[in-house]
Amino acid sequence: MKVLLIGSGGREHALAWKIAQSPLLDELYAAPGNPGIADHATLVALNVEDHAAVIAFAKEKAIDFVVVGPEAPLVAGLADDLRAAGIATFGPSKAAAQLEGSKGFTKDLCARYDIPTGAYQRFKTAAPAKDYVRQQGAPIVIKADGLAAGKGVTVAMTEAEALAAIDDCFDGAFGAAGAEVVVEAFLDGEEASFFCLSDGKTALALATAQDHKRVGDGDIGPNTGGMGAYSPAPVMTSAMVERTMKEIIEPTISGMAKDGNPFSGVFFAGLMITAKGPELIEYNVRFGDPECQVLMMRLKSDLLPILYATATGTLDKVEAEWRDDAALTVVLASKGYPGAYDKNTPIAHIPEASEEAKVFHAGTALKNGSLVATGGRVLNVTALGKTVTEAQARAYALADKVEWENGFCRRDIGWQAVAREKV
Ligand code: AMP
Ligand code: GLY
């Protein structure tokens, strides 16, 4: 099979690494990819926003299958256009990608199909949103409706904070994404991420993961795209997974199909495990980054036929087998992230991978033959272990061998699971 992978982050490096191991693979291309992905794929300098150019390339190279990594091309309808051109594609249609592209869309779906989630209302102007906040009181959560690069959510502990967040949204802090606002009840509990494939009819549960969104040790400081992750998430017991499938994922699949938007791709469900059970915080319609890195390390099965079955409506014919080991990834980020940071800082050395540990590239580039950091999140040092404690020790041992002066990482990724393993 000839495969084209769309994307350039750590998630796509993990996908490329795993797809490259498939005996079914003849050739792997990545657009635009990164220097880590280049170990497994031929990089193509395509503008992914130019759907016609992507299709023309796929036709020229007789690509059998396209895997779309990030959400932006999905929300822009790349998967629809590829499928219309007769190319099998992993990733939901533009209509189904609204599950990530519009928080209001997802909340309305939950309301229609009795999917547990926080009570909410949608607003197009500030005054009624503020009235609703005053009526409900704090804590309360204010969300820009659209894609806001992970920054559109304010968990307001006071009413004043909530009112200010409403002003921010409608004053354009998140651009068009904030033209509509969802005000949502605060959910109390432990968060977990759950991944599940669907071909529109069938569901195949993948594994669970937990990510660390705050930049600082002890989960403090500003939100980021994720500073590290581990899998499995201890809070997601098999009973909790079963409830999530039954109460959240299955009604989503049948509801989306009934509404004329069948979902094909991966559900990345952000859950809050409350006293009542699993409740949906949000859906993403792609693999999490860096959650994907730990999932790929734990996946024993060949990924390629699983993704292909998802895309072609034959998910009932495949299974996913997982290692019992835990996996943990530590994100090395540029000093200053998630605020301003220097670009093009040199990375002098990346240590060799082993069976148990590997460095994925997330925000790197080659400049005059030398590796430099170009993004906020730059490297993902990922390791397996019999326990999260062991995976954590291995990941940090490898991370400490990376030579990159402008990099930093959290030192406590996985702390909740490590604390649980101590008792
Ligand atoms: P999101 O960008 O939607 O992933 O939200 C960012 C973070 O805000 C989530 O990971 C949660 O920690 C928090 N959050 C979102 N919605 C709620 C809610 N209804 N109750 C409590 N925390 C929330
Ligand atoms: N790590 C969170 C995300 O991919 O959205």
Side-chain angles (χ1 to χ4, degrees):
M1 202 184 291
K2 286 188 170 183
V3 180
L4 169 63
L5 173 65
I6 305 287
S8 64
R11 164 182 50 215
E12 287 77 27
H13 188 181
L15 292 172
W17 168 74
K18 190 71 190 160
I19 291 170
Q21 295 169 41
S22 174
L24 300 176
L25 182 74
D26 293 312
E27 224 164 338
L28 180 60
Y29 295 90
N34 69 37
I37 296 173
D39 287 344
H40 317 289
T42 306
L43 303 191
V44 198
L46 282 174
N47 173 6
V48 172
E49 285 172 23
D50 183 350
H51 298 184
V54 177
I55 291 166
F57 174 82
K59 294 248 155 146
E60 180 200 322
K61 297 289 182 194
I63 298 291
D64 302 293
F65 186 38
V66 178
V67 176
V68 182
E71 64 277 17
L74 296 169
V75 171
L78 179 60
D80 308 64
D81 292 342
L82 283 162
R83 282 193 278 265
I87 302 160
T89 303
F90 177 82
S93 66
K94 182 177 180 164
Q98 288 179 89
L99 279 178
E100 176 160 0
S102 164
K103 299 202 186 290
F105 175 91
T106 300
K107 299 297 282 187
D108 288 352
L109 181 96
C110 290
R112 250 191 331 277
Y113 296 107
D114 275 333
I115 297 167
T117 188
Y120 74 104
Q121 287 212 9
R122 303 175 71 165
F123 298 96
K124 286 205 160 81
T125 54
K130 290 183 176 176
D131 286 345
Y132 182 68
V133 162
R134 289 191 192 98
Q135 197 184 64
Q136 299 292 315
I140 194 156
V141 183
I142 312 299
K143 300 184 171 182
D145 182 75
L147 289 184
K151 298 195 179 81
V153 174
T154 303
V155 179
M157 299 318 283
T158 64
E159 205 175 284
E161 227 183 307
L163 299 178
I166 290 170
D167 281 333
D168 278 352
C169 283
F170 287 115
D171 287 348
F174 310 110
E180 188 173 333
V181 165
V182 173
V183 180
E184 187 181 308
F186 173 80
L187 298 173
D188 200 12
E190 187 166 351
E191 277 188 78
S193 300
F194 178 65
F195 294 86
C196 176
L197 297 172
S198 173
D199 61 3
K201 315 176 290 276
T202 306
L204 176 66
L206 299 177
T208 60
Q210 216 141 330
D211 136 5
H212 293 267
K213 286 238 168 74
R214 303 300 189 107
V215 75
D217 283 15
D219 292 321
I220 55 163
N223 254 317
T224 70
M227 293 302 292
Y230 57 95
S231 172
V235 66
M236 290 302 286
T237 57
S238 51
M240 203 57 78
V241 167
E242 217 169 286
R243 282 192 64 181
T244 302
M245 289 299 289
K246 195 155 166 280
E247 295 170 25
I248 297 179
I249 301 289
E250 285 166 15
T252 300
I253 293 172
S254 60
M256 290 292 282
K258 205 161 155 192
D259 294 348
N261 304 318
F263 183 90
S264 157
V266 60
F267 288 115
F268 163 5
L271 304 174
M272 189 70 86
I273 310 304
T274 69
K276 286 194 279 182
E279 298 200 42
L280 184 71
I281 297 180
E282 62 160 0
Y283 272 127
N284 296 302
V285 298
R286 34 86 194 172
F287 284 105
D289 190 348
E291 290 92 331
C292 184
Q293 290 80 316
V294 288
L295 297 187
M296 291 306 113
M297 287 291 269
R298 289 192 59 221
L299 182 63
K300 259 204 236 169
S301 311
D302 185 353
L303 177 68
L304 188 50
I306 295 177
L307 297 183
Y308 193 72
T310 305
T312 55
T314 52
L315 198 53
D316 56 336
K317 307 281 193 302
V318 296
E319 276 176 37
E321 234 194 302
W322 300 88
R323 291 174 190 259
D324 291 331
D325 307 67
L328 182 140
T329 188
V330 176
V331 171
L332 302 195
S334 293
K335 284 177 188 161
Y337 174 81
Y341 54 84
D342 288 341
K343 285 205 170 173
N344 298 319
T345 59
I347 301 171
H349 176 69
I350 293 195
E352 284 294 308
S354 67
E355 271 287 297
E356 293 95 17
K358 170 153 188 63
V359 180
F360 291 113
H361 290 230
T364 67
L366 283 174
K367 289 263 154 78
N368 305 319
S370 301
L371 193 68
V372 295
T374 51
R377 295 187 297 162
V378 173
L379 298 169
N380 311 137
V381 186
T382 313
L384 288 167
K386 295 232 161 352
T387 58
V388 175
T389 308
E390 191 178 296
Q392 185 198 52
R394 244 183 219 143
Y396 280 114
L398 194 67
D400 289 339
K401 291 189 186 140
V402 172
E403 292 170 26
W404 173 36
E405 258 178 40
N406 198 50
F408 79 97
C409 63
R410 277 184 60 164
R411 297 301 309 186
D412 64 343
I413 299 304
W415 66 268
Q416 299 99 324
V418 169
R420 271 190 169 101
E421 284 172 359
K422 280 208 178 99
V423 287

